[in-house]
Amino acid sequence: MDFGRTYTKMPKTTQKSSAVLTRGYFPGLFAAVLALAGLARAAGNPAEKTLVFFGDSLTAGYGLADPAAEAYPALIQARIRAAGLPWRVVNAGLSGETTAGGLRRLDWTLRTPPDLFVLALGANDGLRGVPVDEMRANLTETIEFAQQSGIKVALTGMMIPPNYGPEYTESFARVFPELAEKYQLPLLPFLLEGVAAVTELNQADGIHPNVEGAKKVAEHVYPFLADLLPLK
């Protein structure tokens, strides 16, 4: 697979891209704390299962007017409710998050263990040129921590622009299927399938989905989750 082809229209300046992804960090952190408070409340209802999306600005809904209603996890929550499934979706996306940052907040994120944990990190590592082995190690530790806590983990893959050359780009993309195989995880190969590099589905930065793009992401992710819900 030519991982660079999807992103041929993406901006070439990784420093700018990384800054864009980081800009919403503190508002996003506040939103993530509120979401996790909701997870704790959901734990009081044993009939309701919890699904946590653990990601970066792509998950948090950076740049959307109302992320709580327009980000793809919120749209998936609406579909789950419409299907009559007893699941509560928690958006634990944080703008600017890397796999290292995710690992640092993992303990308090999973203090109230969810029933399903969707790991959607890695985009910022790729945009910043974080060594692939370092990203792999962080994702490995995250997966092992969750599994050792008895939490079911699903993984979403990511692709990046070819800014650092084909070797880095392809090595980066291989991490996700390799980890999925090693840990027997359900894998969504590419979170932004059908949205990345499509101008009309992205904001002006060319990176973050707009409202229509978020709908497309939700349409892509929901069938993947439907095979996992309800859990036995």
Side-chain angles (χ1 to χ4, degrees):
M1 179 181 295
D2 182 355
F3 296 109
R5 186 177 302 164
T6 302
Y7 277 105
T8 54
K9 298 179 182 178
M10 291 287 287
K12 288 290 185 179
T13 307
T14 53
Q15 184 177 6
K16 178 181 178 181
S17 302
S18 180
V20 169
L21 284 167
T22 306
R23 194 176 300 150
Y25 182 84
F26 290 108
L29 179 60
F30 180 68
V33 170
L34 290 179
L36 292 172
L39 174 58
R41 289 195 299 272
N45 181 1
E48 188 174 60
K49 296 182 182 296
T50 53
L51 160 60
V52 169
F53 284 98
F54 191 68
D56 47 38
S57 56
L58 300 172
T59 295
Y62 173 83
L64 298 176
D66 185 5
E70 297 172 344
Y72 78 84
L75 301 177
I76 288 171
Q77 175 72 90
R79 293 190 65 165
I80 286 175
R81 285 177 179 160
L85 297 174
W87 283 80
R88 177 185 178 87
V89 174
V90 174
N91 186 342
L94 180 59
S95 293
E97 192 71 293
T98 60
T99 57
L103 191 56
R104 286 192 292 270
R105 66 181 174 108
L106 186 63
D107 183 48
W108 62 266
T109 299
L110 298 183
R111 192 160 295 171
T112 302
D115 297 282
L116 179 60
F117 178 75
V118 179
L119 179 54
L121 286 173
N124 282 319
D125 295 66
L127 289 175
R128 298 174 188 184
V130 172
V132 171
D133 286 347
E134 181 179 327
M135 182 185 78
R136 182 194 300 273
N138 292 334
L139 290 172
T140 294
E141 191 169 348
T142 300
I143 292 164
E144 290 181 351
F145 183 96
Q147 288 187 330
Q148 289 166 9
S149 301
I151 299 167
K152 184 174 180 64
V153 180
L155 184 63
T156 71
M158 182 52 58
M159 300 178 191
I160 56 170
N163 301 32
Y164 296 105
E167 182 178 354
Y168 181 89
T169 301
E170 293 173 12
S171 296
F172 173 93
R174 284 197 300 268
V175 168
F176 303 96
E178 288 171 358
L179 288 177
E181 181 178 4
K182 179 178 180 179
Y183 292 99
Q184 296 298 292
L185 306 178
L187 173 68
L188 184 70
F190 184 30
L191 178 64
L192 298 179
E193 184 70 40
V195 175
V198 179
T199 302
E200 60 268 27
L201 296 179
N202 287 279
Q203 299 174 42
D205 60 23
I207 297 173
H208 296 90
N210 58 24
V211 171
E212 293 304 314
K215 291 177 183 177
K216 290 287 187 182
V217 175
E219 290 171 4
H220 176 53
V221 174
Y222 186 76
F224 167 71
L225 292 176
D227 291 336
L228 307 177
L229 308 178
L231 293 172
K232 301 297 184 182

